[in-house]
């Protein structure tokens, strides 16, 4: 009889622990509560991840995009259980351009602008923009032919010292931008029109198995 009571008590405690965990996870409704959970449950595996439908094409990302807001999915192996919960769903305007950056520290402003006009003339005469970017640009993305990839308004400072998205430019239009104060001069190719891309924020929780 004592053994039966002990087994029942153990089973009840496991059920309660599972209920407590489920309740805590169910209380997470948005990014703020997800961040609070991570802060209270410090673990290397617990994190908030942003998935972008254009950038993330894995099986996991595809499955997560199918979940509703608040939806959960769990994966397990011999060592740990990982739970993913969607805490935010958005559609965000993204932009994509290619550009060549010239730095007037290597020559004065007037010579830099004249140099820029020669590069544009080469483009108009048939030289591919990515070839010109690799040859002349001093930007970090020169090796990618000047392509920025898709970026949001909040990411703009990663690429530019001036605003490039408030201007109305047609697709494939080429134009120039100047930052006279810093001596930075741009040739911009508007490779894509703005695009609405779905993004989700997902709370990842990793629990170690005993």
């Amino acid at each position: 009889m004592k053994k039966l009571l002990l087994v029942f008590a153990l089973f009840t405690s496991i059920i309660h622990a599972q209920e407590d965990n489920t309740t805590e996870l169910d209380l997470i409704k948005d990014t703020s509560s997800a961040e609070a959970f991570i802060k209270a449950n410090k673990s290397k595996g617990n994190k908030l991840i942003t998935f972008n439908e254009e950038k993330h094409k894995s099986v996991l990302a595809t499955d997560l995009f199918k979940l509703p807001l608040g939806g959960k999915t769990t994966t397990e192996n011999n060592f740990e259980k990982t739970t993913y919960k969607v805490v935010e769903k958005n559609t965000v305007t993204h932009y994509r351009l290619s550009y060549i950056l010239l730095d007037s520290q290597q020559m004065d402003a007037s010579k830099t602008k004249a140099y820029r006009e020669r590069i544009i003339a080469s483009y108009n005469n048939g030289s591919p923009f990515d070839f010109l970017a690799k040859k002349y640009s001093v930007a970090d993305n020169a090796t990618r032919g000047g392509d920025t990839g898709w970026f949001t308004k909040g990411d703009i400072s990663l690429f530019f010292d001036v605003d490039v998205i408030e201007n109305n430019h047609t697709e494939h239009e080429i134009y120039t931008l100047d930052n006279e104060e810093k001596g930075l001069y741009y040739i911009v190719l508007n490779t894509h029109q703005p695009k609405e891309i779905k993004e989700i924020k997902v709370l990842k929780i990793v629990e170690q198995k005993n």
Side-chain angles (χ1 to χ4, degrees):
M1 184 68 178
K2 288 182 179 179
K3 287 185 178 180
L4 182 62
L5 288 173
L6 181 62
V7 170
F8 178 76
L10 179 61
F11 178 75
T12 302
S13 66
I14 292 172
I15 292 296
H16 284 319
Q18 290 176 340
E19 287 177 347
D20 289 343
N21 185 53
T22 302
T23 301
E24 187 176 15
L25 189 57
D26 288 341
L27 289 173
I28 301 170
K29 302 291 186 182
D30 50 30
T31 53
S32 296
S33 53
E35 288 167 351
F37 175 88
I38 293 170
K39 188 175 181 180
N41 297 270
K42 293 183 179 179
S43 168
K44 186 177 180 180
N46 295 346
K47 60 184 69 175
L48 193 61
I49 309 171
T50 299
F51 288 89
N52 178 297
E53 198 171 39
E54 189 71 31
K55 295 177 182 177
H56 302 102
K57 303 289 188 180
S58 66
V59 174
L60 172 62
T62 301
D63 290 342
L64 290 173
F65 272 104
K66 292 177 182 177
L67 293 175
L69 183 63
K72 302 188 292 285
T73 187
T74 300
T75 62
E76 293 188 51
N77 58 32
N78 293 332
F79 307 102
E80 60 188 24
K81 181 174 78 170
T82 304
T83 302
Y84 300 89
K85 179 170 183 176
V86 179
V87 295
E88 189 175 308
K89 294 173 79 81
N90 294 305
T91 300
V92 183
T93 304
H94 284 69
Y95 307 86
R96 189 170 183 176
L97 310 162
S98 289
Y99 71 95
I100 295 169
L101 173 61
L102 305 176
D103 190 343
S104 68
Q105 291 180 355
Q106 299 174 7
M107 63 183 82
D108 64 41
S110 61
K111 288 182 179 179
T112 302
K113 289 180 179 180
Y115 188 55
R116 180 171 64 181
E117 290 305 314
R118 289 198 295 273
I119 296 171
I120 294 172
S122 293
Y123 172 76
N124 290 332
N125 287 329
S127 295
F129 193 91
D130 60 344
F131 166 77
L132 295 171
K134 290 173 183 176
K135 186 174 182 180
Y136 298 111
S137 182
V138 298
D140 292 339
N141 66 344
T143 55
R144 301 196 306 273
D147 182 27
T148 61
W150 290 105
F151 67 95
T152 67
K153 190 170 183 177
D155 298 329
I156 198 168
S157 61
L158 296 174
F159 306 105
F160 298 97
D161 290 85
V162 289
D163 195 353
V164 297
I165 63 176
E166 296 300 329
N167 302 293
N168 249 338
H169 293 282
T170 59
E171 195 168 342
H172 305 305
E173 181 181 352
I174 191 167
Y175 58 98
T176 62
L177 288 169
D178 301 339
N179 186 329
E180 300 280 2
E181 184 180 346
K182 293 189 176 181
L184 301 176
Y185 299 89
Y186 299 87
I187 305 169
V188 183
L189 178 64
N190 197 41
T191 53
H192 297 73
Q193 288 298 85
K195 182 177 182 179
E196 299 298 314
I197 297 176
K198 292 179 182 178
E199 287 189 351
I200 55 174
K201 290 188 178 181
V202 178
L203 174 63
K204 178 184 177 182
I205 302 171
V206 178
E207 299 171 273
Q208 300 299 321
K209 290 184 175 181
N210 295 326

